[in-house]
Amino acid sequence: SPAAQLPEVLRALREEVLAVVRELQAQSGGRLQLELADPAAGDGALATQLAERYGLTPQVAGLLEPEPFWFAMQLQAGERVVPVPLPDTLDREALRRTLLAAAQRLAPGFLKTVAVLRPPAGFGPGSGQVSYAQLMERLGESVQLEETQLQRGQVPDTADLLLVLAPEALTQRQVYAIDQFLMRGGSVVLASSPYAVQVDQTLSARRVDSGLADWLAHLGVRIDEAFVLDPQNTALPVPTLRTVGGLQFQEIRMMPYPHFPDVRGEGLAEHPATASLDQLTMTWVSPVRLLEAAPGAPQGVESHVLLRSSPRSWTLDQTELVPDFVRYPQTGFPVTGERAAQPLAVALTGPFRSAFEAPPPAESPESPESPESPESPAPSADADADADADLATLTGHIERAPASARLVVIASNAFASDMALQLTSQGLETFYDQPIALLQNLIDWSLEDPALLALRGRTQFARTLRPLPPPAQARWEYLNYALALAGLLLVWLWRRWVARQDRRRYRRILEEAAA
C-alpha cells in the first residue's frame, strides 16, 4: 500500500526496504527488478490473484486502526516464487539478510530437493486413498518436493533425499532405484509396515507386501508382522451407545487405545532427530529389528534405535483393531507373549552393500485393466534388453555405498498421514503435529543441516504434560474441587459484605432524610 495508508511503524520500514532493494539492484548488475503494486487499487483483480495463488490477504494494525493495508514481499525467478518474511529486528542489516536468504532459496542447488514416493490416488488402504496433505504442506516450507513412482528404475537426479511413504507391491525396478540411490550416498527415509489400516465405519487392517522385505533384510533390518500395543498410549475417540430413559444415544468417548503407543522419556533416543521432541504418538506401528551379520551391512555401518515403546508393551498378530472391553476390560485386547520395550524406528549410516548384482529386467507393461490392442503392441524382449543396457550405461551399477549413506526405517504405514494426525489430535484434544516434526528433523539430519534442527528445537512452543500416577491425579483432581468451592465461598462472602455495606448506606440516607 502507499505510505499514507500504512501504520506509522511500517512507513519508515517501507523506505528501508526500498533502500535495501535498490542497493541489491546496483550490486546485481540489473538482474534484480523491483515492482511495487497496490492490490487495493483498480478493480481488485490483483488482490484476488494474490489470495488465490499465494494466500495473501490485507492486514489490520489493530482495533484502534481498523483500516486494512497491504505489506508483503514475494521474490520470483522464472515460475518459482518464495515469500520474503519480515525479520525479527526491523533494521537495514536484518532486511538485507532476509532478502539474500530468499534469493538463495531460488538459487539452483541451494534449496534441498526431497523425492517422495507415496501411494497414488486410488491405491491406498481400504478406501483407496492415503492422504498426506498436511505433511506435504509442512515439508514444502523448507524443502522442494518432487513426486516420483520410480518406474524407470531411477530416483530423480535432483533429489537429495528419498522419502518413501506406505509402499505397497513395489516392483524390482522400484526397489533397485531405492537401492542405487542409497549406494550413491543418498539418504532414504522409509515409513512402512506389513499392515494397512482403513478407518471407515469401523477400524480394520489388511496385510500388505511392500516389496522391500528382502532388501531391508539384506541391509540388516526386519519389520515383524505384528502390532505393538502399549498401556502407555494416546486415547482414541470411540462411538458408544448410551441408554437414557429407555432411549439409546450415540456418543463419542475417549478410550485408552494400546495401538497408539505414547513414546516419551527413555523411549526417545539421544539423537539429533529426536532431541527437540518431548513426546511422540506412533499409530499402528510394528516392531522393527536390527539383524546381525547382514550381508548388506558390513563392519562400519552404524545403527541406532530412535524410538522404543514402554517396557510394559507387547506385540499382537491380529488385524482386529476395535477394542473389546467386555472380554478384555483392562486393555481392550488380549495380552500375548512377554512384555518388553519394542523398537519402533531405526537409523543406519555407513558403507552399505547393494542387494543387486545388476539392474533387474523391465517389468511387462501388460495389465488386466489395459489389454493389448493392435495399435499398441507389447515391447519385445530385445527392447527390454536395450532398456536395461541403457539404464546400466546411464546410471552405472554401484555395489558399495559411501560412509555418508543413511537409511531410516519407521515401522508404520499410517505414520504422519492425515487420518492418523486427525485421530491423534482428537484423542489429545489439541492440534497434534509431532510426527511431522520428527520427519522434518530426520530430513534435516539426513541432509546434514544442524542449523535447521537447532532452530526447530527452539521453536517448540507446545509443552508436553508429564504423565502422573493415579494417586497424584486424584490429588490434583481434589485440589481443583477444593479451589472451586473456595472460589464460590469467596464470592458468597463478598456478596454478603457488599449487601451489608448497601444496607448501612441506605440506613444512613434514610436517617439524614428523616432529620
Side-chain angles (χ1 to χ4, degrees):
S1 296
Q5 299 180 11
L6 294 175
E8 184 176 355
V9 67
L10 291 181
R11 295 173 188 172
L13 180 61
R14 184 179 188 272
E15 298 303 319
E16 290 288 342
V17 171
L18 294 178
V20 172
V21 172
R22 292 190 179 103
E23 290 178 5
L24 295 176
Q25 277 185 302
Q27 298 175 8
S28 68
R31 291 190 295 271
L32 178 62
Q33 314 244 338
L34 172 65
E35 179 182 355
L36 293 177
D38 182 9
D43 59 357
L46 178 59
T48 303
Q49 180 183 1
L50 292 175
E52 293 177 351
R53 294 187 60 182
Y54 308 117
L56 296 178
T57 56
Q59 302 165 263
V60 176
L63 295 176
L64 301 180
E65 298 182 47
E67 188 68 21
F69 63 92
W70 290 83
F71 197 92
M73 292 180 286
Q74 301 278 336
L75 191 61
Q76 179 174 356
E79 296 297 325
R80 294 181 55 197
V81 179
V82 297
V84 183
L86 291 178
D88 295 333
T89 56
L90 302 180
D91 55 45
R92 179 169 297 194
E93 187 59 32
L95 289 169
R96 181 184 179 87
R97 288 197 303 267
T98 301
L99 286 166
L100 289 177
Q104 288 173 340
R105 291 195 65 194
L106 290 173
F110 187 86
L111 183 64
K112 300 299 184 181
T113 300
V114 174
V116 181
L117 172 63
R118 57 173 174 164
F123 185 71
S127 62
Q129 292 184 349
V130 179
S131 175
Y132 294 95
Q134 296 183 50
L135 174 63
M136 295 297 104
E137 181 180 357
R138 289 282 295 276
L139 293 183
E141 297 175 358
S142 56
V143 298
Q144 184 174 348
L145 300 177
E146 184 171 351
E147 299 278 351
T148 180
Q149 290 299 318
L150 308 179
Q151 297 292 352
R152 294 184 61 251
Q154 275 186 287
V155 177
D157 295 335
T158 57
D160 300 295
L161 180 141
L162 177 62
L163 177 61
V164 183
L165 301 171
E168 184 172 347
L170 296 185
T171 65
Q172 285 296 295
R173 270 295 177 95
Q174 292 172 304
V175 178
Y176 179 76
I178 300 173
D179 176 271
Q180 288 299 288
F181 181 75
L182 187 65
M183 293 304 113
R184 285 181 171 82
S187 299
V188 178
V189 178
L190 171 65
S192 177
S193 170
Y195 299 96
V197 178
Q198 175 188 357
V199 179
D200 195 2
Q201 299 298 326
T202 184
L203 292 174
S204 60
R206 62 182 176 91
R207 296 183 185 273
V208 295
D209 180 13
S210 65
L212 292 169
D214 293 339
W215 180 73
L216 288 174
H218 175 81
L219 298 178
V221 179
R222 186 188 74 226
I223 302 176
D224 292 347
E225 293 189 1
F227 285 110
V228 175
L229 283 73
D230 197 333
Q232 179 179 299
N233 56 67
T234 298
L236 176 73
V238 177
T240 57
L241 289 177
R242 181 182 179 186
T243 303
V244 179
L247 299 177
Q248 287 188 335
F249 300 91
Q250 188 178 55
E251 63 178 5
I252 303 299
R253 297 183 60 188
M254 296 298 174
M255 307 294 291
Y257 193 56
H259 281 82
F260 286 3
D262 185 340
V263 182
R264 61 179 72 204
E266 295 182 355
L268 296 169
E270 294 183 3
H271 190 273
T274 57
S276 63
L277 302 177
D278 292 330
Q279 180 272 346
L280 184 67
T281 296
M282 299 294 294
T283 53
W284 297 298
V285 63
S286 299
V288 56
R289 313 292 181 186
L290 292 171
L291 306 178
E292 297 181 359
Q299 186 176 5
V301 174
E302 298 181 1
S303 58
H304 302 275
V305 176
L306 299 179
L307 305 173
R308 292 182 187 272
S309 60
S310 76
R312 298 173 57 207
S313 60
W314 72 98
T315 61
L316 182 63
D317 181 10
Q318 176 181 307
T319 56
E320 177 60 44
L321 302 181
V322 178
D324 185 355
F325 290 100
V326 176
R327 297 178 57 189
Y328 311 103
Q330 297 297 326
T331 62
F333 296 92
V335 178
T336 60
E338 181 182 356
R339 293 200 178 200
Q342 303 291 335
L344 310 178
V346 296
L348 296 89
T349 306
F352 301 98
R353 293 187 182 275
S354 174
F356 295 83
E357 297 181 356
E363 287 79 12
S364 172
E366 299 177 6
S367 63
E369 291 79 4
S370 57
E372 293 182 18
S373 63
E375 292 78 7
S376 58
S380 63
D382 293 338
D384 291 342
D386 293 340
D388 296 339
D390 292 341
L391 181 64
T393 301
L394 293 175
T395 64
H397 178 71
I398 302 177
E399 296 182 354
R400 186 183 179 93
S404 60
R406 297 182 178 184
L407 172 65
V408 179
V409 180
I410 303 172
S412 173
N413 271 331
F415 180 78
S417 67
D418 293 343
M419 170 189 65
L421 294 177
Q422 180 182 3
L423 289 175
T424 309
S425 298
Q426 293 176 2
L428 295 172
E429 298 182 353
T430 183
F431 178 70
Y432 187 75
D433 62 350
Q434 291 291 76
I436 297 179
L438 174 63
L439 283 177
Q440 289 178 307
N441 289 347
L442 288 172
I443 291 174
D444 295 338
W445 169 72
S446 300
L447 298 179
E448 298 181 346
D449 198 340
L452 280 179
L453 272 176
L455 179 64
R456 186 168 295 112
R458 291 194 300 269
T459 56
Q460 299 295 323
F461 295 106
R463 294 184 178 274
T464 304
L465 295 177
R466 303 296 180 184
L468 295 175
Q473 295 179 12
R475 284 196 298 271
W476 280 105
E477 182 179 359
Y478 296 147
L479 178 61
N480 280 314
Y481 294 149
L483 291 176
L485 292 175
L488 291 174
L489 179 61
L490 288 175
V491 171
W492 180 76
L493 292 174
W494 175 72
R495 290 302 305 162
R496 281 181 58 86
W497 180 82
V498 170
R500 186 180 298 121
Q501 293 296 113
D502 289 343
R503 285 195 298 271
R504 290 178 179 176
R505 181 164 56 88
Y506 296 151
R507 187 181 302 110
R508 187 168 55 251
I509 293 175
L510 291 175
E511 291 175 353
E512 292 176 355

